[in-house]
Amino acid sequence: MWFPFVCEIVLLGVLVSLLLRRYIDWKTTPLYVYCSTWIGWLMCFGIVCLVPVDILASNHTACIAELGEEQCPEPITYIQPHALEQLWRGMYWTAFFLTWIIYPVSQSYALAGDFTIIERLREALHANILFYAIAAVAGLGGLVWLLAIQQLDWSTIVGLVMAVANTWGIILLIALMGYGLVEIPRWMWLRANRELTLRHYQFQTVALYNVTHNTWDDLLKTLKTVKAYDDKIKRHDPFRLYIDVIISKCPGLYNSPEVMNRETSNSRMSGLLGNIIGNRDGPEVVTEVYYSKLVGLHNKLKMSVFDAERAGCLYTEHLKKTYRLQDIISNYNNSDHVIAWTFQPRRIHKFVWYIDRLEWFWLTRLYPVFMRFGSLFFALLSLVIVWSQVTAFVQTPDLSIFSWFVKWAHMKGLLLQSVVFLALAYEALCAYSTLFKIRIFNFYRLIPHQQTDSNSIMFSAAYLCRLAAPLSFNFINFLHQSVTTSFSKVMGKMDVVPFLGNNFSIYFPILVVVICLLTLFNVGSKILTLFKIKQFKFEDDFNDQQIDEGRKILTDDKEARELLPLERAFPTSHVVSESRLDATRPGGLGKGMWRVMTARRLEEGAHDSGGTGGDSGSDEGIGMASSSSSSSSLSSSSSLSSSSSIDRDRDRDWDRLERVRSKAAQRARSPKEPPLSSSSLPSSSSSDGRFPRLFGAVLGGSKLMRGGGGNTDHEELLPRGGGENRSVDR
C-alpha cells in the first residue's frame, strides 16, 4: 500500500523544511540553493522511512514462500519488491548525480564574485575542471584494471562506479558514526550538570567575543577598501557599473564616520586608514583597477558582511542561553517555585500560576534526571550497534542483536517496522549530527539561527547524499538481510570489483571500535593541547583564566543590558555609529556599558523631543557633536531630573545610571586591574576602542545586508518613544 508511505514522505518533507529553516532563510537564500538542498536532505532522511519498509517487504515475501499467502497477511505499509527496487535505483542515482555533479558546481557558483550569471557559471565550471580531470584519470585506470582481470561490459562499469562511491561513503560513515556513538550519550550526561555547563559557556564567551571583534574589524577594513575604489573610479569609467553594484551591497555602516572620515589621497590612504581601523595593515592601496580585482572585492564584501552578521548573532544567542542558565541556577531553591527570568517577560494569562511552577519543576528537578536516563539509554544503544557492527561477518551463529530482534523475536507489521526505524534513526543521528558539527576552517560550517551560508548548506547536502546509500547498506548488512532486500539487489553489482565490493562493506566497519575508543578517551583534544590549543575540560576541578575572563565579560554585559527596557535588551537591528559613541565616553566607564547608556538617553530624548528645550551641552564631561535632534536628546541631567514629564520608572533608571557612573569613576581612580591574556581578548591599543563589548546590542542579530547609503543618524536608528519602560531595580 502506497498511501501510508506517501504520508510518511509528506510529513518528512515538512520536517525537512522546518530543519532547513533553522539554518537558512528561504527569503534571502537563492532558489537553486534551497531547492537542491531540500531534495538532498529529503532523500537522505527518507532512508529512515524506506529501509524499514524494505525489510518488512522482504520478511513478508519470505513468509509467503514458507507458509503461503493465507498464513501471511499483507502489512499495512507493504510495497511490492519490484516497485521498491525501482524506487531505490531512482533515489541512488539521483543522490549520486547531485553529490558529484550538481552540488560541486553550485557551491563554486555561490562562491563566485563575478557580476553576471554567465561569468559566474564559467568560473564555477573552471573551478571544478581539476576535480573532474582527476576523477576521469582514476576512472580510466580502474577500467584498465577491470579489463585485465575480467570481461568489460556496461554492468561492470556501473559496478565499479558504485563500488568506489560506496567505499568512500563507508569510510566517512564509520568515522562520523563512531564519534557520534560516544559523543551523544556523553553530551547528554554533561548537560545534566548545570554548574559545569555554565563554566563551559563562560569559557566559550571569550572565543566568541574575539570572533566578533575580528569580523567587525574585517568588515570595516573591507568597507574602507570599497570606499577607496569608489574614489578611484570616476563617473564615466567603464568599471563604474561594477563598483556601483558593490556599493549597493554595502550595509548602512558604509556611510558611517569610520569609513567616510578618510584622506582622499591614495598615497596616504593605507597608513591613515590602518590607524583608524586599529590594525597594522590598512585597506588595499588602489593604484590600478582591473576586473579581477573588482570580482575579488565583491566576493570579499559578501563574505565580510555575512561573517560580521553571523558572529554578532552567535554572540547574542550565546549570551541569551548563558543568562537563561544563570537564572535557572540562581532560582534552584526559590521558595515560590518560580524562575525569575532576567530578560524574559512575565506571563499574564490565567494559567500562569500552574505553568510557572511546572516550568520551575521541569528545569530544576526533572530535566537533569531526564538527561541522565537518556544518556544511559543511548549509551546502551551505542553498545548494541557497535557489537552488531563487529559481529556482522558472523553468519552462524547469528550474534547480531538487531538481527535477532528482526528474525527471532516474532515481531510483525508496525512493531517490526518501529524497531527497525528507531535503530536506523539513531545510527543516522550519530552520523548526521557529527556532520552538522564539522567545522573546516570556518569555510564549511552549519550554524543555526539562519546564519549558514549557501556554500556550507550545499556542502552538508552533498555529504548527506554520499552517506545515504552506505548507511542503508551497512544497516542491512548487520541485520543479515543483504540477500533478500530490494536495496541489496540494486547494490549487488559491486561484486564485480574484488576488493571494493561487498566484502569491504562487511569487514571495514569493525574499525568503528577504534573510532569510539579514540573519542571516549578524548585523544583529539589531547593532541590539540600538545599544540598549545586551549580546550575546555569537563571536570569539576578544571579551572582556567579564560573562564574568569568570560565571567567578567558576561557580568559587564548583563549590567549594561539591565539598564535598557526589557524589549530592547536584545535588539534585532542595531547598527549605530560607534565612533560618535566612543568619542563621548567618560574615563573609567566600560565601552559596552557607555554605549548602552548613551543609546538609552538617545531613546528617551527622542521620546521627549517635544518637551523641554534645555541646553545641548554636556553632562559631567559627556558631549556629542550631533544635529539639533540629537542635541535635544543629550540634555543635561539637571534638566532631566527637574522635568515633570519623566515618570517614576525613568527616575529609578537614571538613579541606577548615576550609581553605575559613580562606581566607574571609583574604578578609574583605583589601581588598574591586571590586563587580560593576549591570547583571548584584544589589547587596548588595538581596534577595541571602536568595538563594543555589548556587540549584540549594536550589531548582533541585525540584517546588515540592507543596501548601502543607509542613514546613520541616531534618531533614525534608535526607535522613538513608545513602549513601557521597565524598572531596573531587581
Side-chain angles (χ1 to χ4, degrees):
M1 298 181 185
W2 283 90
F3 181 73
F5 179 72
V6 171
C7 292
E8 291 178 0
I9 295 301
V10 171
L11 179 60
L12 182 63
V14 175
L15 295 177
V16 168
S17 300
L18 295 177
L19 184 60
L20 270 178
R21 186 175 179 270
R22 172 177 170 82
Y23 291 99
I24 58 176
D25 185 3
W26 66 272
K27 296 180 181 179
T28 58
T29 303
L31 184 61
Y32 74 92
V33 174
Y34 187 89
C35 292
S36 60
T37 304
W38 187 88
I39 293 173
W41 282 26
L42 178 65
M43 289 193 304
C44 298
F45 293 117
I47 290 176
V48 181
C49 299
L50 189 57
V51 169
V53 173
D54 195 359
I55 293 176
L56 188 64
S58 174
N59 286 2
H60 179 67
T61 302
C63 180
I64 292 177
E66 182 179 354
L67 303 176
E69 294 186 5
E70 296 180 356
Q71 300 295 327
C72 302
E74 185 177 284
I76 189 174
T77 58
Y78 177 75
I79 298 177
Q80 294 292 335
H82 68 275
L84 277 173
E85 187 174 341
Q86 296 300 323
L87 185 59
W88 274 119
R89 184 173 287 107
M91 291 183 62
Y92 179 86
W93 289 111
T94 301
F96 184 90
F97 182 75
L98 285 172
T99 191
W100 295 109
I101 298 179
I102 298 299
Y103 288 136
V105 176
S106 298
Q107 287 178 257
S108 300
Y109 181 86
L111 290 174
D114 296 86
F115 298 92
T116 64
I117 296 177
I118 300 299
E119 291 169 345
R120 294 179 68 184
L121 185 60
R122 184 186 299 114
E123 178 64 22
L125 294 175
H126 182 267
N128 287 275
I129 286 178
L130 179 61
F131 168 75
Y132 292 123
I134 295 175
V137 172
L140 183 60
L143 291 178
V144 172
W145 174 56
L146 286 178
L147 183 60
I149 62 176
Q150 64 181 2
Q151 184 178 0
L152 186 64
D153 55 13
W154 175 252
S155 178
T156 304
I157 297 175
V158 172
L160 172 65
V161 173
M162 295 177 65
V164 172
N166 184 71
T167 300
W168 165 242
I170 286 290
I171 296 174
L172 183 64
L173 172 67
I174 296 304
L176 298 178
M177 186 174 63
Y179 177 84
L181 289 172
V182 175
E183 191 61 28
I184 289 179
R186 180 164 59 188
W187 176 85
M188 295 185 68
W189 183 270
L190 294 174
R191 289 282 292 183
N193 190 332
R194 299 289 197 181
E195 289 74 14
L196 188 60
T197 303
L198 179 59
R199 295 175 64 196
H200 184 217
Y201 288 169
Q202 293 168 345
F203 184 87
Q204 290 178 321
T205 300
V206 178
L208 291 172
Y209 172 82
N210 288 335
V211 170
T212 51
H213 180 284
N214 295 332
T215 55
W216 181 264
D217 281 347
D218 186 66
L219 175 61
L220 287 178
K221 179 180 176 181
T222 303
L223 292 177
K224 293 175 185 292
T225 303
V226 173
K227 182 62 179 175
Y229 274 90
D230 184 23
D231 294 341
K232 179 69 175 179
I233 301 175
K234 303 306 179 182
R235 180 177 180 182
H236 299 290
D237 195 294
F239 291 121
R240 189 68 224 179
L241 175 64
Y242 301 123
I243 195 63
D244 287 341
V245 172
I246 296 175
I247 293 175
S248 68
K249 296 182 179 180
C250 291
L253 191 65
Y254 180 73
N255 288 335
S256 66
E258 285 93 341
V259 179
M260 299 301 293
N261 293 344
R262 54 181 297 280
E263 297 290 335
T264 58
S265 174
N266 286 328
S267 61
R268 302 178 57 192
M269 180 183 60
S270 177
L272 292 173
L273 292 184
N275 292 332
I276 295 176
I277 292 177
N279 295 333
R280 293 182 179 180
D281 52 338
E284 177 185 349
V285 178
V286 182
T287 56
E288 298 291 338
V289 180
Y290 302 101
Y291 177 78
S292 58
K293 289 187 176 181
L294 295 178
V295 169
L297 179 62
H298 186 205
N299 189 38
K300 175 64 175 176
L301 175 66
K302 292 192 297 182
M303 295 301 297
S304 298
V305 170
F306 187 84
D307 289 344
E309 179 183 339
R310 179 170 62 182
C313 179
L314 286 177
Y315 186 60
T316 301
E317 295 299 327
H318 174 78
L319 295 177
K320 287 181 181 179
K321 69 179 183 181
T322 304
Y323 297 150
R324 177 181 173 85
L325 184 58
Q326 288 177 345
D327 292 339
I328 294 173
I329 295 176
S330 61
N331 288 273
Y332 185 85
N333 296 318
N334 192 336
S335 59
D336 295 331
H337 295 171
V338 175
I339 297 180
W341 300 110
T342 306
F343 297 111
Q344 292 185 22
R346 288 188 174 273
R347 301 181 179 93
I348 56 175
H349 50 77
K350 60 181 179 180
F351 300 108
V352 62
W353 192 91
Y354 303 98
I355 295 179
D356 284 348
R357 279 146 186 82
L358 182 62
E359 178 187 55
W360 177 88
F361 190 69
W362 162 253
L363 292 176
T364 60
R365 299 298 189 270
L366 290 182
Y367 179 80
V369 177
F370 172 79
M371 294 297 285
R372 290 284 166 84
F373 276 102
S375 175
L376 294 176
F377 173 76
F378 285 123
L380 179 61
L381 192 56
S382 295
L383 289 175
V384 172
I385 290 178
V386 172
W387 174 260
S388 299
Q389 295 280 5
V390 173
T391 60
F393 67 95
V394 181
Q395 298 289 335
T396 305
D398 194 348
L399 301 178
S400 175
I401 298 178
F402 284 120
S403 177
W404 182 87
F405 269 105
V406 172
K407 292 181 179 180
W408 312 113
H410 303 290
M411 292 185 297
K412 298 180 180 179
L414 290 178
L415 181 59
L416 173 61
Q417 189 172 354
S418 300
V419 171
V420 175
F421 173 83
L422 292 176
L424 180 59
Y426 181 66
E427 189 174 348
L429 175 65
C430 293
Y432 293 170
S433 62
T434 307
L435 179 64
F436 278 31
K437 294 178 183 178
I438 285 181
R439 175 178 176 180
I440 305 178
F441 303 111
N442 246 358
F443 196 62
Y444 297 116
R445 187 184 180 190
L446 289 183
I447 301 178
H449 316 297
Q450 299 182 344
Q451 297 299 314
T452 303
D453 59 285
S454 299
N455 182 42
S456 295
I457 201 69
M458 285 189 291
F459 171 83
S460 70
Y463 274 83
L464 284 176
C465 287
R466 293 173 191 177
L467 290 174
L471 177 64
S472 303
F473 198 55
N474 174 259
F475 186 78
I476 291 174
N477 275 337
F478 70 67
L479 289 183
H480 295 161
Q481 298 276 337
S482 58
V483 178
T484 59
T485 58
S486 299
F487 182 70
S488 300
K489 297 176 182 178
V490 174
M491 301 294 290
K493 296 179 180 179
M494 295 189 302
D495 290 334
V496 299
V497 184
F499 176 72
L500 301 180
N502 293 334
N503 290 334
F504 181 85
S505 302
I506 294 175
Y507 291 101
F508 183 81
I510 298 176
L511 292 179
V512 72
V513 178
V514 178
I515 304 298
C516 290
L517 292 176
L518 293 176
T519 307
L520 181 63
F521 294 104
N522 294 317
V523 176
S525 298
K526 294 178 180 178
I527 293 176
L528 293 177
T529 304
L530 293 177
F531 288 96
K532 307 301 181 180
I533 300 177
K534 193 175 296 185
Q535 298 289 311
F536 182 83
K537 297 180 181 179
F538 286 92
E539 301 172 357
D540 293 333
D541 58 346
F542 175 73
N543 195 9
D544 190 86
Q545 183 183 1
Q546 189 166 326
I547 297 178
D548 299 330
E549 295 170 1
R551 188 182 297 115
K552 184 178 185 301
I553 294 175
L554 291 169
T555 300
D556 293 345
D557 182 274
K558 189 173 184 179
E559 290 179 358
R561 293 182 192 274
E562 287 179 341
L563 296 176
L564 293 171
L566 183 61
E567 65 275 6
R568 293 187 54 76
F570 285 96
T572 57
S573 57
H574 257 224
V575 184
V576 299
S577 172
E578 300 198 27
S579 61
R580 297 176 67 181
L581 297 181
D582 274 339
T584 62
R585 179 172 61 88
L589 193 59
K591 302 178 185 63
M593 181 78 73
W594 170 239
R595 290 195 178 92
V596 173
M597 295 191 304
T598 306
R600 172 73 169 168
R601 178 166 291 193
L602 287 171
E603 180 182 356
E604 293 176 354
H607 180 69
D608 299 328
S609 58
T612 59
D615 297 333
S616 59
S618 61
D619 175 21
E620 298 183 10
I622 302 175
M624 182 178 292
S626 61
S627 60
S628 60
S629 59
S630 59
S631 298
S632 62
S633 301
L634 294 176
S635 57
S636 64
S637 61
S638 60
S639 63
L640 284 173
S641 61
S642 62
S643 175
S644 60
S645 63
I646 302 179
D647 55 17
R648 187 176 304 170
D649 290 340
R650 189 171 300 169
D651 284 335
R652 285 199 296 266
D653 285 352
W654 284 109
D655 289 342
R656 174 74 176 272
L657 172 68
E658 295 300 329
R659 291 197 300 270
V660 171
R661 294 181 56 202
S662 177
K663 292 180 180 179
Q666 294 177 2
R667 289 199 301 266
R669 291 190 294 268
S670 62
K672 294 185 178 179
E673 299 178 357
L676 301 178
S677 63
S678 59
S679 61
S680 56
L681 294 179
S683 62
S684 58
S685 62
S686 68
S687 58
D688 192 45
R690 290 175 297 93
F691 179 76
R693 175 163 292 178
L694 184 59
F695 191 85
V698 179
L699 183 62
S702 64
K703 296 296 182 182
L704 289 175
M705 192 69 75
R706 294 185 176 178
N711 194 346
T712 59
D713 187 78
H714 290 291
E715 287 193 347
E716 295 295 329
L717 292 170
L718 299 176
R720 299 172 180 268
E724 182 176 325
N725 288 335
R726 175 188 54 156
S727 174
V728 296
D729 294 334
R730 301 188 180 279

